[in-house]
Amino acid sequence: GGDACSITEGVVSRVEVQEYSHSLRAGLALTVDAAINSGNSGGPLVDAATAEIVGVAFQKLVARGVELQGHAVPAPLIQRFLAEVQELVTKEEVFPPPANNTKLQDRYPLRLRLPSLGCDYQSLEPPALRRSLGLGDRSGVLVGRLHTAGATEEGEKTEEPTLKSGDVLLEFNGYSLDEMAFCSLLGRRLHFAAARDLCQVGQKVPIKVWREGEELELEHTLNPARYLVPRG
């Protein structure tokens, strides 16, 4: 409680893709053992050695037998959002100069969304499954159900999907995937969803897939995630 500034201490014990409680969507997060409550959620995580902000606290895990497990949005993901906001507000065709000192948030609400690969995928950990696909010494994840709905939220027809059910995704935006969909990113072994979320909606990224016994290099457009039932 209290109305003054509060400081808690802890360590970052894990860096991995976690489920965000607000959207029920998986994203890169830091796990910390510092106390996170209503009074300090939304506050910065500061490196004690460098005084640099490494993340922003946003949720904690409440469960029987679990103590002091909080999560924070990491700095690279925050920088990605800030860069997107900066790009939007500098485009006069999107945000024309204000009239009568109207505040930006009163004129144009910013709707920032994270990108989606547009499909379900499964790991290829069993060697027998990899052999059945003829992968050899290649590694990646198997593409399952596609999320294409035929039209965008604005009613526009979607383009033909780059990925196909049965493809094996070998590389994403230059990052090689292992059979569990992990790659080397930010000096760590992270799920490739972390690399996806550092991209912007609408961005075209190079991918490499294994399709019907052939290795293909394609360009995939990252569309916003869409759900039949709204999340959060």
Side-chain angles (χ1 to χ4, degrees):
D3 299 322
C5 179
S6 66
I7 299 176
T8 60
E9 286 187 335
V11 299
V12 175
S13 58
R14 184 182 300 165
V15 181
E16 68 176 5
V17 173
Q18 307 259 11
E19 183 179 78
Y20 279 44
S21 60
H22 301 86
S23 63
L24 304 181
R25 181 190 188 279
L28 185 61
L30 310 177
T31 298
V32 297
D33 65 357
I36 295 180
N37 299 299
S38 299
N40 51 27
S41 178
L45 266 66
V46 181
D47 188 329
T50 64
E52 294 181 347
I53 294 176
V54 297
V56 173
F58 75 100
Q59 70 179 17
K60 68 176 181 179
L61 180 61
V62 179
R64 179 177 296 179
V66 178
E67 297 180 0
L68 295 177
Q69 183 170 329
H71 299 131
V73 183
L77 194 53
I78 296 172
Q79 290 291 343
R80 173 243 186 243
F81 276 106
L82 293 177
E84 188 171 351
V85 171
Q86 181 64 32
E87 182 180 354
L88 287 174
V89 298
T90 53
K91 290 183 178 180
E92 290 194 0
E93 64 272 18
V94 179
F95 297 100
N100 301 323
N101 296 322
T102 304
K103 293 182 179 180
L104 180 63
Q105 61 267 30
D106 295 334
R107 298 182 295 121
Y108 299 98
L110 292 176
R111 188 179 183 186
L112 302 178
R113 294 177 292 183
L114 288 171
S116 168
L117 196 62
C119 66
D120 293 337
Y121 41 84
Q122 72 173 68
S123 66
L124 289 176
E125 191 174 11
L129 184 54
R130 296 198 299 272
R131 286 196 299 269
S132 69
L133 294 169
L135 289 175
D137 58 355
R138 301 173 183 83
S139 62
V141 290
L142 181 65
V143 175
R145 181 178 61 91
L146 300 181
H147 297 171
T148 52
T152 65
E153 294 176 357
E154 292 76 20
E156 300 176 356
K157 186 177 180 181
T158 57
E159 60 183 22
E160 192 70 20
T162 307
L163 291 169
K164 294 183 178 180
S165 179
D167 286 350
V168 177
L169 182 62
L170 306 175
E171 289 186 12
F172 173 84
N173 203 20
Y175 297 101
S176 298
L177 277 58
D178 64 15
E179 63 275 3
M180 297 295 291
F182 281 74
C183 64
S184 179
L185 176 68
L186 302 175
R188 295 177 177 269
R189 180 177 177 266
L190 298 173
H191 195 278
F192 91 99
R196 175 203 62 198
D197 288 349
L198 294 179
C199 302
Q200 293 187 359
V201 170
Q203 182 175 337
K204 295 182 182 295
V205 295
I207 60 173
K208 184 180 291 186
V209 301
W210 179 256
R211 179 182 297 169
E212 298 178 351
E214 186 178 0
E215 193 171 295
L216 304 176
E217 295 184 2
L218 307 171
E219 191 175 64
H220 183 74
T221 301
L222 295 174
N223 293 312
R226 299 195 303 274
Y227 305 98
L228 181 62
V229 178
R231 299 288 186 95

